[in-house]
Amino acid sequence: MKSILSFVVAAVLAFTIFSCSKTEVDSIDPNGTGGLTLEFDNYVGGTNMALGTAQYKNTAGESFTVTTFNYFVSNIELTKEDGTVVKVPNSYYLVREADPKSLNVALTGIPQANYAKVAFTIGVDSLKSQAPVTERTGALDTGSYGTDNMYWSWNSGYIFMKLEGISPASTISGKAFQYHIGGYGGGFQGAARTANNLRKITLSLGSTSAKVRAATTPTVHLIVDAAKALGGTNTISFATTPTVHSPALAKPIVDNYVNMFVVDHVHND
């Protein structure tokens, strides 16, 4: 009898502790903040991207290898379950497949809430693109990328996405292909205005919201399929279009890559 009573007491205590702990975790402080991480997981079709080694095929049936895959993510917005939009200030990040640290974008100072959507721009907006160089630091530092340079010094503009590689179908030297996508709709030193290739991506988090709390930093896991930049709305052939370096010629790829991003799942732990 004594053992049964002890078991009951222990069970009640455990339930009480669990309930209190759960309440603390789920409790939203209306004046509190927390963090949220965006994890960018780059793929080609149904395969995790491997630079320089793996062989893939585009929708034109041409085989290829990826050597460089970079893109800017900026002006991040989070939408609460009640529809309130929270804009993350000064949010500019360069995601590089060659740099594993860049694949996880850690946001801080996020108001505590349950978030149902995430939105961001692919590229760098016109105001920041034309801001004084002293205001363009971190990911926007125009001299910090070495061989992965993401800035056109000849046109004073950021490259929003860079996709490079090798394909037997290519007709240029070394069988290379190079897609450098930019253009924010502005001009430079009296030059004609470029095409506006900025695109905003808005994604639902699905049935699992991101619960930002003082003790909980959720991770939103995004799959980014580079193959969709080469096919979908428009089929890009390495044989006929091995390079794109001009904003005026980039629209077919831009119309494709807006569909590269999907939310795979959300971790709330």
Side-chain angles (χ1 to χ4, degrees):
M1 183 69 178
K2 185 177 179 180
S3 61
I4 295 175
L5 180 60
S6 298
F7 174 80
V8 172
V9 171
V12 170
L13 285 172
F15 177 79
T16 302
I17 292 170
F18 173 79
S19 297
C20 290
S21 175
K22 188 175 187 298
T23 299
E24 288 177 7
V25 170
D26 287 345
S27 177
I28 297 174
D29 178 353
N31 300 311
T33 60
L36 182 146
T37 298
L38 301 178
E39 179 186 359
F40 293 91
D41 195 356
N42 297 322
Y43 271 62
V44 183
T47 306
N48 205 287
M49 182 179 289
L51 294 179
T53 56
Q55 291 285 327
Y56 310 103
K57 280 197 174 183
N58 63 9
T59 53
E62 300 163 338
S63 62
F64 66 99
T65 298
V66 177
T67 56
T68 301
F69 185 49
N70 307 335
Y71 48 90
F72 275 104
V73 173
S74 64
N75 297 310
I76 297 171
E77 298 177 1
L78 302 169
T79 303
K80 298 180 183 179
E81 288 181 333
D82 66 5
T84 303
V85 176
V86 174
K87 295 185 178 182
V88 181
N90 200 36
S91 48
Y92 296 90
Y93 299 92
L94 176 61
V95 178
R96 300 172 58 240
E97 173 63 17
D99 180 9
K101 293 184 294 185
S102 74
L103 305 179
N104 290 282
V105 172
L107 308 177
T108 59
I110 306 300
Q112 292 182 29
N114 294 342
Y115 290 93
K117 294 181 183 179
V118 61
F120 47 84
T121 297
I122 301 304
V124 180
D125 57 88
S126 59
L127 287 178
K128 186 61 77 171
S129 291
Q130 298 179 84
V133 173
T134 54
E135 296 178 16
R136 289 184 274 145
T137 57
L140 299 178
D141 184 342
T142 58
S144 66
Y145 304 127
T147 55
D148 272 351
N149 194 294
M150 293 292 286
Y151 189 77
W152 283 315
S153 58
W154 56 269
N155 194 38
S156 285
Y158 290 94
I159 298 172
F160 301 164
M161 186 203 75
K162 178 180 285 190
L163 177 60
E164 297 179 341
I166 305 295
S167 172
S170 174
T171 55
I172 65 173
S173 177
K175 295 296 181 180
F177 64 87
Q178 300 175 341
Y179 301 130
H180 298 180
I181 310 303
Y184 58 86
F188 175 63
Q189 295 182 348
R193 296 179 70 83
T194 67
N196 186 353
N197 291 321
L198 290 166
R199 294 293 185 273
K200 183 176 181 179
I201 312 297
T202 301
L203 302 169
S204 169
L205 302 189
S207 59
T208 304
S209 60
K211 299 178 179 179
V212 175
R213 306 288 190 271
T216 303
T217 301
T219 296
V220 178
H221 185 174
L222 300 122
I223 298 294
V224 187
D225 186 357
K228 291 183 178 179
L230 303 173
T233 302
N234 304 293
T235 296
I236 308 300
S237 166
F238 304 126
T240 57
T241 311
T243 64
V244 172
H245 290 167
S246 166
L249 302 177
K251 190 175 184 300
I253 294 177
V254 173
D255 289 344
N256 282 346
Y257 75 42
V258 294
N259 299 310
M260 286 196 307
F261 302 85
V262 297
V263 173
D264 188 63
H265 60 272
V266 177
H267 288 294
N268 282 301
D269 48 30

